[in-house]
Structure formats: C-alpha cells, structure tokens
Amino acid sequence: MTGERPLVVAADETVLDEILRVAAVAGCELDRAPDLTAARGHWARAPLVVLDEETARLAPVLPRRSGVVLVCKGSPGTATWEHAFRCGIERVISLPDEETELAGTFADVVETPAEEAGLVLGVVGGRGGAGASVFAAALALAADRAPGGALLVDCDPLGGGLDVLLGLEKTPGPRWPNVRLSGRISVSSLAAVLPHRRHRGGSLPVLACGKEGEGPAVESLSAVVSAGRRSGRTVVCDLPRSLGGAAAEAVAVADMVVLLVPTEVRACMAAKQVLRGLSDLTARLGVVACGRSRAASATRTAALLGPPLLATMRPERGLAAEVERGEFPAKPSGPLAEAAARVLATARHEARTASR
C-alpha cells in the first residue's frame, strides 16, 4: 500500500465488488485491507477511507479521522446512521441509487478540482464546408498551449472524424463507441488513453467519433464535458449544424458557441438557419467571419446575423492541401491560429467577467 490511494475495508463481498467497479470507472486505484487490524497502519495516511456496514460496526477501535465514507446496500436504516454517528463517518452512500456520488468521491481523489473552472467552447459551421472542424482543432491547439490544457471532442458523427482530420486515424485509443460514461469521472484518466496530437507546447487529447459514424451519447458527453470543466481544461466541441441529442447538450452548457461563416451571401442565409437552432439553446454566441472579403464585409456579415464578431480570418495559404494530406498544421501563427487565439482570449475574458 502506498498511503496515497483511498483505503477500502469491506467484509461484504457484494459491496466490495461494487466499490471496486465504481472506482475503476472513476479511474481511481484503491488500496484494500481485509479488516481494520490490517488497515491500522494506513488508516491515517489514506486520503479517503471507504467502509461497508459490517466493518463500520468495529470502526471505533481506530482513531477518528476525516474523509471516512460508509457504503451500504439499499437505503440506510436507523442502526446504520447510529454507527455512522458513533464512528464520525462523514457520509453514508447507498448503492445503487447513489453510485454517481460515490464515483464523484473517487474522482475528487484522483483529480482535485481546479481553482479556476475550464471553458467549454462549441464550434459550428454556418454552412457545409465552412471549415468548422478545422477551426475547432485550431482552437483546441491554442488552448492546449496554455496552463490547464485542452480536450478536443467530436460531436459530429457525420463529419468524417476529427482523428482523420488530425492524422490520428491509425493511432490506438478509444473513440466514442468505446466511451460509455456517466456521472463524475476523471478527465485526466480518460485523456491518458485517448489519441493525442502532438504539437509545440503540448499534446492534445482527441475524443473522436467512431469509424461507422457513431457519436456520443448524451450522458457520456455530459460526463466528459463536466469533468473537463472541473479539471480546468478547455473543452472544445466540434458541433454539427443539425443539433440534437448530445450536440444540443454541448450547446446548452457551453460558455461560448462560435459560428464560422464565410463572407458570402448564400453562406449568411444558411448561417441564419443554423443560428435559429442555436438561439433556442443559448445566447452565448459569436461569429468568426472567414474568406477573402475585407473587414467591412466581415462586419456586415456579423451585423446580418446578430451575434458579435469575434474575429475575421483570411484564407491560409496551403491549408487545404495540408489537411488533405493528413498534415494538420499545428503552428501557433498564421490566419487560422491567430483567429483561434482571439476567440480564446475573448471567451476567457467574458467567462472571468461573468464570474465576478
């Protein structure tokens, strides 16, 4: 035993199995002791102690300490609460009803909440081919260079896969079909096994859709986004233009949703339709105008749509060819990177202002 992992002492094998299962989902490694006598040397050092009802009856033989949780099957009875009070137990968690609370308790040990919550940003194209996935990737790379890091999440099952865009299609690691989570999770444990796009300044974890186009379930996306925010990471979601299910959930919780719009009449008309669906879910919207037109055209584009203009982005030479070759540019300069940096700075400023 290391003394740095939660300590579990449970005589009931059924309860023990459930505790171990929930801890595994939360990405939390445990130390186990068969009884309180064996646990004595690790009792004070463990960051968390988890007991079952049978063990809790004997807990007074050890010194009182904080961070002791009692896990029981079903609703706790009067005797259970009496034991908890007598032993100084802080919380009583019943399974299976409060499994999410137990997972969150383990997640708190694995990953202490950051002092400043991370951002959740969504990116959606005003029309097909606007380059939303490319911009989402650039935005995530910009965020990953900053303290806290980032996570790029694919919410568009018909988008062809962010792993393909970033040249990671052959890199092993889970995609959405392999990620079925709910409640509180450890994002660092998840990020450790995901495919990563290396760049100057870091290594960006990417959670892509499956090869068959399978996207995230609502509860799984919610768990990942919440964990990322809690850990201080910036979570960037590449969104489909047709919102529903998980994509709608991402829009609803996002600190900002970026609408990428080419400065063309038809693109503006298409973007208005997309914007109508977004506006039903959030008011935290901004526009990035892209294309060869001058700044005045970009300003008119934003004025026609309504949300504020966050950045303008002129075409980047060679970008399309690089993307087609699977060589996504991770450089911190150029029109794409500069527009992403401006959007990120604005989103951070607005989030800090809102929290005051």
Side-chain angles (χ1 to χ4, degrees):
M1 293 186 188
T2 66
E4 298 178 356
R5 297 184 292 192
L7 172 65
V8 178
V9 190
D12 188 316
E13 290 294 330
T14 302
V15 173
L16 176 60
D17 287 345
E18 286 300 294
I19 292 171
L20 296 178
R21 180 184 61 80
V22 174
V25 171
C28 183
E29 295 183 358
L30 304 177
D31 285 331
R32 294 165 56 186
D35 52 48
L36 290 174
T37 301
R40 185 179 296 274
H42 312 280
W43 179 263
R45 297 201 308 267
L48 172 73
V49 175
V50 182
L51 308 175
D52 68 347
E53 288 185 274
E54 186 173 336
T55 306
R57 296 190 184 99
L58 304 174
V61 303
L62 293 177
R64 284 187 175 236
R65 54 153 290 167
S66 60
V68 180
V69 174
L70 169 60
V71 176
C72 61
K73 291 185 293 186
S75 300
T78 302
T80 300
W81 288 111
E82 289 176 354
H83 290 311
F85 178 77
R86 187 169 64 251
C87 301
I89 290 172
E90 291 183 350
R91 278 187 292 173
V92 176
I93 297 176
S94 63
L95 296 179
D97 291 347
E98 296 177 335
E99 179 179 314
T100 298
E101 183 176 347
L102 180 59
T105 302
F106 286 134
D108 284 340
V109 175
V110 174
E111 196 167 63
T112 304
E115 292 185 7
E116 184 175 345
L119 289 173
V120 178
L121 305 176
V123 180
V124 59
R127 64 154 169 80
S133 295
V134 171
F135 191 79
L139 190 59
L141 286 166
D144 200 51
R145 296 185 184 99
L151 173 64
L152 178 59
V153 179
D154 195 347
C155 299
D156 187 359
L158 301 181
L162 285 178
D163 52 350
V164 177
L165 174 67
L166 293 168
L168 300 173
E169 65 270 23
K170 295 181 180 179
T171 304
R175 273 65 171 171
W176 273 121
N178 315 114
V179 178
R180 290 290 177 263
L181 302 168
S182 62
R184 293 268 289 281
I185 65 168
S186 164
V187 76
S188 59
S189 298
L190 173 62
V193 298
L194 290 173
H196 281 66
R197 177 60 160 84
R198 299 190 183 281
H199 60 93
R200 278 183 286 174
S203 182
L204 172 68
V206 180
L207 182 48
C209 293
K211 292 182 180 179
E212 303 301 321
E214 185 176 350
V218 175
E219 61 273 13
S220 297
L221 179 66
S222 179
V224 169
V225 167
S226 296
R229 188 198 294 276
R230 179 173 161 273
S231 71
R233 288 180 186 255
T234 296
V235 182
V236 179
C237 299
D238 180 29
L239 300 167
R241 288 181 295 134
S242 180
L243 299 173
E249 169 71 13
V251 170
V253 302
D255 295 283
M256 179 178 289
V257 177
V258 180
L259 185 64
L260 197 72
V261 186
T263 51
E264 306 163 359
V265 174
R266 288 187 63 203
C268 287
M269 298 305 293
K272 281 189 174 183
Q273 301 303 313
V274 177
L275 186 61
R276 185 173 293 114
L278 292 171
S279 299
D280 290 337
L281 298 168
T282 184
R284 299 180 293 274
L285 297 163
V287 171
V288 171
C290 56
R292 299 184 181 279
S293 300
R294 296 180 179 179
S297 296
T299 303
R300 284 198 298 271
T301 296
L304 285 170
L305 295 171
L309 179 65
L310 302 175
T312 59
M313 185 172 64
R314 67 185 187 278
E316 184 157 334
R317 182 178 298 176
L319 175 62
E322 288 178 301
V323 170
E324 186 64 28
R325 292 194 303 266
E327 300 173 359
F328 189 89
K331 54 189 178 184
S333 61
L336 178 62
E338 290 165 5
R342 285 196 294 272
V343 169
L344 186 60
T346 300
R348 284 176 173 158
H349 173 74
E350 291 192 1
R352 288 178 182 139
T353 302
S355 65
R356 288 173 186 167

